[in-house]
Amino acid sequence: MNMPNVNLLKKLRKPETRVRIKMERTHYGMKFFLPEKLSEDELLRLLVRIPAAAYKLSEGQSIALDFADRKCSRRLILHMINSIVWEKNIKISAWLSKDEESLKLFDAAGLSLKEPEPEPVENLETENSEQKEESEIIEPQEPVSALKVVYNSMRSGQRIETEGDVIVWGHLNPGAEIVAGGSIIVAGRLLGVIHAGGYGREDVFVWAGCFETPQVRIANKLCYADAKSTACWHKSVLITLEDGTPMIRENKFNKDK
């Protein structure tokens, strides 16, 4: 009787380790943390396999690449620019590294070495009083329910983070961001970044008067949308989690029967 190959059995039982590129939402767009242990060719192949929807950003937003301790070559930098900037038409606003030689190469190529700083809400200046009213966030005293109400639109660089619910009686413009532990209501156009259930809650919802954002996050689920693939684009919608899957429904209650 033939005995099984022990080494082969161990190899078959060993779980496959999959290397992923970690992505993090930022005030300027997305930050990519690139695996250090992959070869340059493997890293480039991994970047090419990222779904196109993951690169979808609001107008004026960009991405940052964090190479950590990787020593970058000129070839890698050129391939990055070719495959991301030129082919995907994505702006790379920051090239980050802990390796001094890589930083020198980035600097010699005229690439930015620092992430864009958020625009302070309190220092925003407008050309006229009408724009000023739209850009300011008016927050009442914190009630017991931790509900935050914004009585006008939010513009790029403005950000709200709260453990409760948020209501915006205006537009959430590109570059604006809301992270709420509860639900989020945007009465106007939803163009910015929102994260409902930001601390793990799944019994939350997102309601928008006009759905126009490419990304919505509820709890730990991220869904992508665009005008071509989403029937509810430019419409009033309700977004919820059902069995762990984001569901987008058009709000038809305000239509005639």
Side-chain angles (χ1 to χ4, degrees):
M1 182 177 177
N2 294 330
M3 296 297 292
N5 189 313
V6 176
N7 292 330
L8 178 60
L9 289 176
K10 289 181 178 179
K11 184 177 181 181
L12 292 174
R13 291 182 186 138
K14 186 178 180 180
E16 180 185 1
T17 56
R18 300 183 62 185
V19 180
R20 300 177 184 272
I21 293 178
K22 180 184 175 184
M23 291 180 282
E24 179 183 280
R25 169 59 66 179
T26 65
H27 63 274
Y28 53 81
M30 297 287 290
K31 185 175 181 180
F32 287 21
F33 297 88
L34 306 178
E36 301 173 47
K37 297 182 179 180
L38 294 180
S39 68
E40 291 188 356
D41 289 334
E42 290 172 330
L43 177 60
L44 290 170
R45 284 195 293 269
L46 190 60
L47 283 169
V48 171
R49 290 201 299 268
I50 294 178
Y55 286 101
K56 289 187 176 179
L57 302 168
S58 301
E59 184 179 355
Q61 292 196 318
S62 60
I63 68 172
L65 300 178
D66 191 337
F67 295 88
D69 293 312
R70 173 186 290 275
K71 185 176 181 179
C72 300
S73 67
R74 297 182 181 183
R75 172 180 173 273
L76 177 62
I77 297 171
L78 288 174
H79 277 292
M80 288 279 192
I81 295 174
N82 180 64
S83 60
I84 298 178
V85 178
W86 293 332
E87 291 188 8
K88 298 183 182 295
N89 196 27
I90 301 295
K91 178 183 177 183
I92 302 179
S93 60
W95 297 70
L96 311 174
S97 177
K98 297 177 182 178
D99 181 71
E100 291 296 329
E101 293 186 19
S102 297
L103 290 174
K104 289 179 181 179
L105 282 179
F106 298 157
D107 186 53
L111 306 174
S112 175
L113 309 182
K114 295 183 179 180
E115 296 179 76
E117 295 183 358
E119 185 179 0
V121 174
E122 62 274 15
N123 293 334
L124 293 175
E125 295 182 0
T126 53
E127 296 180 358
N128 53 56
S129 58
E130 183 178 352
Q131 289 179 329
K132 185 175 182 179
E133 289 179 2
E134 183 178 352
S135 67
E136 290 178 347
I137 296 180
I138 304 175
E139 297 182 3
Q141 292 183 349
E142 193 81 6
V144 177
S145 62
L147 170 68
K148 284 188 176 291
V149 182
V150 180
Y151 293 101
N152 38 53
S153 297
M154 291 178 60
R155 58 180 290 183
S156 177
Q158 293 183 308
R159 186 177 190 272
I160 287 180
E161 183 170 355
T162 178
E163 295 182 359
D165 304 314
V166 176
I167 299 176
V168 178
W169 294 111
H171 307 307
L172 188 71
N173 289 306
E177 182 179 3
I178 298 176
V179 178
S183 299
I184 299 174
I185 295 176
V186 178
R189 299 173 64 191
L190 175 55
L191 299 127
V193 177
I194 55 173
H195 186 177
Y199 303 96
R201 284 182 53 189
E202 295 188 354
D203 60 330
V204 297
F205 66 86
V206 172
W207 187 91
C210 185
F211 182 68
E212 300 178 61
T213 185
Q215 297 181 13
V216 173
R217 184 183 290 274
I218 297 183
N220 62 345
K221 302 295 181 180
L222 181 64
C223 64
Y224 302 100
D226 56 39
K228 294 182 180 179
S229 63
T230 306
C232 298
W233 196 261
H234 291 309
K235 297 179 181 179
S236 176
V237 301
L238 175 69
I239 308 172
T240 57
L241 272 186
E242 295 187 13
D243 296 326
T245 302
M247 300 293 294
I248 304 177
R249 291 185 175 85
E250 181 183 355
N251 175 23
K252 299 182 180 180
F253 295 107
N254 57 352
K255 295 186 177 181
D256 294 333
K257 293 184 179 180

